[in-house]
Amino acid sequence: MARAMSKSAKILMVGTYPILKPKHGGQKRASAIYSMYKKSGLSVRYASVIPGKYYLDRTKSDVPVSIDTMKAIEETPFLNDIICGEAIFSDPKARSHMKHVIERFRPTIIHIEQAYPYLGLKKLLVAMNYKAKIINSTQNLEWSMKNQMYKSEGMDTRLRAKIVTRIKQLEQDLANDAVVNVAVSKGEVRSLETQFGAKNVVLAPNGMNRQTPKRRDVKKWQSSFKRDSIKFKILFVGSAHTPNMIGFLQMVSKRIGFLPFGTRILVVGGVADLLRRNLNETAIEDVCFTQRASLLGHVSETDLAALLYLSDLIILPITGGGGSNLKTAEALLAHKKIVATSHAFRGYEEYTQYPNILIADSSDQFRRSIKEQLTAHQQEYSCDQLEKIDKVLWENALKPLVEKVKTI
Amino acid sequence: MSKQFWIDLTDISDWTGNFTGIQRVVYNLALYFYTNNEAKFFRYDENTRRFYTADFAAIKRRFETVLPSNTVKAKDYKLLIFSAYAALPSRLREVVPPSAKRAIRKRAKQVLLIARKIAASKPIVTASPQVIFSPGDTVVVFGNNWDRSIFIDDLARVKLEKGFEVYQLVYDLIPILGPHLFGQELFSIYARYIFEVAAVSDRLFCISRSTEYDLKVFCAKVGLAVPETKVVRLGDSLASVKPEALAELKGQKFVVCVGTIEIRKNHMLLYYAWKEAVRRGKPMPQLVIVGRPGWHTEDLRRSLKHDPDVAKRILVLEHVKDSELRWLYENCMFSIYPSMYEGWGLPIAESLSYGKLCLASNTSSMPEIAGNLIDYFSPYDSGECLEKVLEYYENEQKLSRKEAKIIKHYKTTDWRQTYEEVKGFLNS
């Protein structure tokens, strides 16, 4: 019966970023969910309202906000997701686009990715007198994560309190209205249930696709490492999400003279740009930092696959932010030595006792663990362990969500 | 089995002209290892990024030929040609009087002599076999190769492959501690260089406790474990040249200050002290500044030259021969050294070796040289500096007592002693 219902279900996924060429974690998760719905035979569309300047890779379903809204985004840093969410109703261009999508596609289910679109979409649905079942797909406990982030960015206390209260209210509202609530970790399942009284909470952890490097990319990086006398490669991958940088500075710091010559931390992703901006050319530790760290920044998916393949150690110095870490799944699937915080393994707790993995929650311990891993022997995983690691593949991680949606 | 020492001569292999302070250190220490047949020598080639054997005997021959005579620079060469040209009467060319011919001939001979010396001082870089270091070898670097940015990386790379020991001598961290004294660009180059020096070395020599302290602070800041360190006292024995008097100073009471005129050496303080003495109506000794013009001192040099208050009281000598320097030390009342920061402070030690008091700055390594044998002042207090100068200028008895104490207690360090200290640490 449930299966028969799902045949006629039409799912509209709504976000505040495109998923054409996913770069950050949010995009990757939304893209994976979209693919999983599709693979499962469900009728699905993705539409978003976005700050056009920030996302050049997009489809016709991703509509940039108007010039006025874009100006507002640029004038108020860190609020772009809230502004884009509101724009779905308040920005004529965005509203008309979303209305058009809904009218043409006639979704029976609207999947809200990361709460914010619901700010404007709820009003739009009321205005259109349109009824659809709502899925609240969370990636973090947004109010808590934003509170931490705004605090570290030095936002005015009163303004921060006002915005955070608003986000909390939004999450409450969405949890009330949703027929299914999706969480990424056990901790967040509990939070949704206890803080917001959410019903029908399904756990669908973050995952990753299996990465297969291309021989050409591997050769290219190998010769680059040889040229720079890099023998031991430590990989740190992170988006330009402030907690990624804060975690790195807290756990590893810029004082990385403890790494011997021939060892290099390869910093990949937007976090490299954040770190670069944070470097002061008149500070001794900052100048010497790049003797042992290469700030590679954004690399292609195929280059990342090669770097994962060639790295000797992957570090996950995550100390803040909500949700579960996509990079943890990536590291597990790479079968490399890992040094991580407990926070980075939220949602992946069952793997913390695996060989090759060291968990360290203080800066001293983290740095010591990195040193230990430099000389530690890489151990082979058992078949059982390998099978369990495969649970972090998107196709396995999102299975509970798809099953649940099919029952709506 | 004794260790195989490899001593780096890169600093002096491709050098032309007279050696600078650091090159003299490299030479003097290498000389003992060479004489006692205790080491092999190598140099680094930036183009091939490889290490080659170096011929110390050839460097020694060149050193002995060029060093005892006085500095021969392209600038001097140019000056002489210019003076030969200028010796010609302006309208001449066709008719040259015999006296002018003699003058031209004399200068031409000088030019020829100098040209020969320059030719003789070409770098000793000949085709030589590549050095393959072995595990168990000890590589010793007395030079300061910060300006060869990849030297240290390549040494570290080869060490990683072969697993030998590395010892290096650290002179100072001044470009890191005082970037304003050199320029921001040097700050990052030097910081990265010292970072790798400390990272790659098993043990380090420092030329003063002050430098050792600075190095430890640096290591802590960048997260490096500090290698074992040993402070060695550099030789300050004097050059065996005959003193040559400077006619314009004969019979005068003067104070000498030796060092390149650069911002760090702080000649500005002396300028202010001498100015203040004029303002107070206090007679002062003639100040003789011996040093080539350096960076960031254009304003000061203009003031010294054109300020009527001091133009006759401060004499700047840019090109002084070793023999003249000896005469200056021997005949001065005392010397003065107002440097803001030093890795060691050789002019202080030199002055004491001549039995002369040196009034010096009370910062960094300088008080290590002679402790309470000499007097100090803050390099940022021209009033204090002036009081010290007047204290000894106005009281010659006090100065004589001070000199007697210096002659009795100051012990010159022979390069052999430095070598023995170095060797002891290498073998320990």
Side-chain angles (χ1 to χ4, degrees), chain B residues 129-187:
Chain B
Q130 194 184 333
V131 173
I132 309 291
F133 299 115
S134 308
D137 283 356
T138 301
V139 172
V140 188
V141 181
F142 294 129
N144 197 1
N145 290 304
W146 63 267
D147 54 343
R148 296 172 185 87
S149 57
I150 46 176
F151 167 88
I152 196 70
D153 285 356
D154 282 337
L155 184 64
R157 176 178 52 78
V158 179
K159 183 188 171 182
L160 199 64
E161 288 163 14
K162 304 287 181 183
F164 46 81
E165 276 197 318
V166 174
Y167 285 64
Q168 297 200 69
L169 178 58
V170 179
Y171 291 85
D172 63 70
L173 280 78
I174 303 172
I176 303 168
L177 302 172
H180 59 294
L181 304 173
F182 295 91
Q184 194 58 40
E185 198 185 335
L186 186 58
F187 166 79

Side-chain angles (χ1 to χ4, degrees), chain B residues 80-97:
Chain B
L80 278 163
I81 293 170
F82 180 75
S83 65
Y85 175 79
L88 296 171
S90 57
R91 55 185 167 77
L92 109 36
R93 289 2 177 225
E94 301 91 358
V95 187
V96 181

Side-chain angles (χ1 to χ4, degrees), chain A residues 7-28:
Chain A
K7 283 278 181 191
S8 57
K10 291 166 90 178
I11 305 171
L12 174 65
M13 290 179 70
V14 185
T16 51
Y17 37 74
I19 57 169
L20 181 64
K21 287 184 182 172
K23 285 195 174 78
H24 62 67
Q27 286 177 297
K28 284 180 180 171

Side-chain angles (χ1 to χ4, degrees), chain A residues 185-204:
Chain A
S185 70
K186 282 179 188 163
E188 292 194 0
V189 169
R190 273 194 303 278
S191 296
L192 278 172
E193 286 171 345
T194 54
Q195 283 189 36
F196 300 124
K199 302 274 185 280
N200 271 331
V201 183
V202 56
L203 172 63

Side-chain angles (χ1 to χ4, degrees), chain A residues 118-382:
Chain A
Y118 202 57
L119 280 167
L121 191 67
K122 183 171 184 178
K123 290 179 194 164
L124 180 64
L125 293 174
V126 171
M128 290 172 70
N129 196 24
Y130 191 90
K131 298 256 184 305
K133 285 171 178 156
I134 301 292
I135 296 174
N136 171 24
S137 178
T138 70
Q139 296 187 8
N140 307 287
L141 208 56
E142 291 292 326
W143 73 266
S144 165
M145 190 271 290
K146 291 285 188 192
N147 189 34
Q148 265 185 48
M149 193 175 111
Y150 296 155
K151 203 172 172 183
S152 71
E153 294 293 345
M155 185 186 273
D156 171 73
T157 316
R158 287 173 71 180
L159 178 64
R160 172 162 56 94
K162 197 176 152 192
I163 296 169
V164 168
T165 306
R166 184 132 185 257
I167 297 172
K168 201 171 183 182
Q169 184 53 51
L170 166 69
E171 291 185 287
Q172 178 66 71
D173 208 16
L174 187 51
N176 291 345
D177 294 350
V179 291
V180 172
N181 289 281
V182 190
V184 294
S185 70
K186 282 179 188 163
E188 292 194 0
V189 169
R190 273 194 303 278
S191 296
L192 278 172
E193 286 171 345
T194 54
Q195 283 189 36
F196 300 124
K199 302 274 185 280
N200 271 331
V201 183
V202 56
L203 172 63
N206 274 326
M208 190 49 64
N209 291 323
R210 208 184 290 282
Q211 311 265 13
T212 313
K214 289 183 178 156
R215 186 181 290 182
R216 187 194 58 200
D217 297 314
V218 170
K219 275 191 170 174
K220 178 183 77 181
W221 285 102
Q222 270 173 334
S223 68
S224 158
F225 295 146
K226 194 177 172 194
R227 191 184 59 233
D228 295 336
S229 308
I230 300 171
K231 289 212 161 172
F232 196 94
K233 283 88 57 187
I234 301 172
L235 191 63
F236 171 46
V237 187
S239 63
H241 182 50
T242 315
N244 289 339
M245 178 182 73
I246 292 170
F248 180 85
L249 294 178
Q250 274 176 358
M251 302 309 289
V252 184
S253 88
K254 286 185 270 188
R255 296 166 50 248
I256 52 174
F258 70 94
L259 297 174
F261 183 87
T263 304
R264 193 69 63 94
I265 301 178
L266 308 168
V267 185
V268 171
V271 70
D273 301 325
L274 290 185
L275 280 168
R276 191 176 292 112
R277 262 179 265 149
N278 196 266
L279 290 179
N280 174 0
E281 61 178 24
T282 62
I284 293 170
E285 59 272 39
D286 289 20
V287 166
C288 295
F289 172 67
T290 47
Q291 292 297 101
R292 295 290 182 269
S294 297
L295 301 174
L296 300 178
H298 288 289
V299 301
S300 68
E301 285 296 314
T302 54
D303 275 329
L304 179 60
L307 289 170
L308 282 162
Y309 174 75
L310 291 170
S311 67
D312 301 284
L313 169 66
I314 298 171
I315 54 170
L316 301 160
I318 307 300
T319 54
S324 71
N325 190 13
L326 274 137
K327 300 299 162 201
T328 309
E330 192 172 74
L332 283 166
L333 281 170
H335 301 163
K336 298 288 171 152
K337 289 186 272 188
I338 294 173
V339 174
T341 55
S342 309
H343 197 92
F345 265 78
R346 287 199 321 169
Y348 305 100
E349 287 83 359
E350 65 177 298
Y351 304 104
T352 54
Q353 300 304 316
Y354 272 37
N356 303 318
I357 297 171
L358 293 181
I359 302 295
D361 287 322
S362 72
S363 177
D364 281 350
Q365 203 190 353
F366 202 93
R367 289 154 65 94
R368 219 174 24 249
S369 300
I370 290 176
K371 269 188 100 170
E372 269 177 45
Q373 292 283 45
L374 294 179
T375 49
H377 178 66
Q378 167 92 39
Q379 294 184 50
E380 293 291 320
Y381 288 117
S382 67

